[in-house]
Structure formats: structure tokens, C-alpha cells
């Protein structure tokens, strides 16, 4: 178990109280048993999250919808856990879903993890979504500086020349100037 998964399971142990149901789900080897948690009524959120993350890490696409919902959750640790699992899931719908969440202005406060996931996925949808999201964050007095910075860093990591105009514009913003300059240096000539 890697450190990220260990962090998720320890957080969920605390949420669940670490009882028998938690131990059953953490020890379950049967993916069908975990998938059943996702569709059974009355399951607590921690149980659904644990089942979805375990299924996602195992590459079981039955976790996709639950993980996308968690990626857009108001609780950042849940978003981070979902992004971690979605990056390992291998579902071709993941990049499109992350791009939709990253560019949704009604949910922009929760876009940080979708932006980071798009960078990690390096999918065809990644650069256009990050450009769109960053362009919107360059408006005067935009309160989402962390999301803008994640877009700048992501565009630099992706190294796609289509990002040059928006990264050049980002240099004019004091909170983004250094990161935008670094990102521009990573783009091909």
C-alpha cells in the first residue's frame, strides 16, 4: 500500500470509528463485494468512498461514477482521494469528466483536484481545459489563486505550445508571475 492510499484509509478509519464494517471493507478481496457498497442504499459516505477508491486502484470501472462525484466534493481530502483513484482507474472517460469539472464556473471552488488530475493524465482534453480555466482565473480580483497556480504549473508540465498566450498573460499577475515564467521556459520554441 503506497503512502497516498495509506493516508486515505487512515482518514476513513477515523471517520468510520474503525469498527467491524470498516475492517470488512478494508480487508475485502472480492471486488463484487466492494461494488455492492456503491449501489446499496443507506451506506455511509466513508464506506462508499473506501469502496470506490479500492475499486479504482484495482482498475475496476464500476467505481467511475462514484469517483467522479467524489472528485467534485466540497471536502478536499475526498477530492484528492478520488483523483488518486481515477488516475489509476484507466477509464477513458476520466479526462473528459475532469475537464468538465475543471471548467465548470459554478463549481470552480472545487476545481483544484480536477486540474491536477488533468495534468497527471496528460490526455488530449488536458491542455484545452487548463487554458480555459486559467483564462477565467486571470480576471481582476479572482479569488481562486490556487486554481490559477495549479493551471499554470500544469500547463508548464504538459509543455504544449498552445499555452503560450495564456501563460504570457499570467505573467502580468503578481501571484502567478514566477510560475508563469517557469512554465513558459518549459514550452517548446
Amino acid at each position: 500500500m503506497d503512502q497516498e492510499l495509506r493516508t486515505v484509509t487512515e482518514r476513513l478509519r477515523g471517520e468510520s470509528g474503525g469498527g467491524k464494517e470498516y475492517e470488512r471493507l478494508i480487508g475485502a478481496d472480492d471486488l463484487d463485494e466492494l461494488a455492492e457498497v456503491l449501489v446499496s442504499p443507506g451506506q455511509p459516505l466513508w464506506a462508499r468512498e473506501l469502496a470506490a477508491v479500492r475499486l479504482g486502484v484495482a482498475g475496476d470501472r464500476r467505481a467511475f461514477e462514484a469517483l467522479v462525484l467524489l472528485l467534485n466534493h466540497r471536502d478536499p481530502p475526498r477530492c484528492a482521494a478520488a483523483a488518486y483513484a481515477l488516475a489509476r482507474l484507466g477509464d477513458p472517460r476520466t479526462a473528459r469528466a475532469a475537464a468538465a469539472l475543471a471548467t465548470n464556473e459554478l463549481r470552480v471552488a472545487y476545481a483544484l483536484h480536477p486540474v491536477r488530475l488533468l495534468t497527471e493524465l496528460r490526455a488530449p482534453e488536458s491542455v484545452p481545459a487548463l487554458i480555459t480555466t486559467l483564462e477565467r482565473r486571470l480576471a481582476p480580483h479572482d479569488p481562486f489563486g490556487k486554481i490559477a497556480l495549479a493551471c499554470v504549473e500544469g500547463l508548464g508540465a504538459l509543455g504544449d505550445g498552445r499555452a503560450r498566450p495564456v501563460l504570457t498573460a499570467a505573467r502580468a499577475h503578481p501571484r502567478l508571475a514566477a510560475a508563469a515564467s517557469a512554465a513558459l521556459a518549459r514550452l517548446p520554441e
Side-chain angles (χ1 to χ4, degrees):
M1 183 181 302
D2 67 18
Q3 183 58 41
E4 184 70 28
L5 188 54
R6 188 172 293 111
T7 299
V8 172
T9 57
E10 287 305 311
R11 175 176 53 80
L12 295 177
R13 179 187 305 278
E15 276 186 42
S16 70
K20 289 181 183 179
E21 184 63 12
Y22 172 85
E23 294 301 330
R24 180 182 73 80
L25 292 176
I26 200 70
D29 291 327
D30 183 2
L31 297 181
D32 290 336
E33 182 180 351
L34 292 171
E36 183 63 29
V37 172
L38 298 180
V39 297
S40 296
Q43 292 293 325
L45 182 57
W46 68 262
R48 291 184 192 281
E49 181 182 353
L50 180 56
V53 168
R54 291 210 47 224
L55 286 166
V57 170
D60 190 316
R61 292 184 180 172
R62 291 177 288 184
F64 177 77
E65 288 84 4
L67 290 171
V68 169
L69 288 172
L70 290 167
L71 183 63
N72 195 33
H73 198 275
R74 69 181 176 274
D75 186 13
R78 291 198 200 288
C79 300
Y84 168 81
L86 282 164
R88 284 144 190 82
L89 180 61
D91 192 302
R93 301 172 291 176
T94 299
R96 189 170 42 250
L101 293 174
T103 59
N104 182 345
E105 279 300 291
L106 298 176
R107 301 287 293 172
V108 69
Y110 309 110
L112 182 62
H113 292 286
V115 164
R116 289 179 177 163
L117 177 58
L118 284 166
T119 302
E120 185 175 353
L121 293 174
R122 304 183 79 82
E125 296 88 347
S126 297
V127 170
L130 295 183
I131 288 171
T132 297
T133 303
L134 180 55
E135 285 172 341
R136 294 172 180 166
R137 305 288 61 86
L138 296 180
H141 310 294
D142 183 82
F144 302 107
K146 284 184 177 182
I147 295 163
L149 182 59
C151 288
V152 167
E153 292 170 346
L155 289 167
L158 294 170
D160 189 307
R162 293 177 291 174
R164 189 173 306 283
V166 73
L167 290 172
T168 300
R171 282 197 311 196
H173 293 260
R175 68 178 192 243
L176 301 174
S181 293
L184 282 164
R186 297 178 77 180
L187 298 184
E189 290 299 322

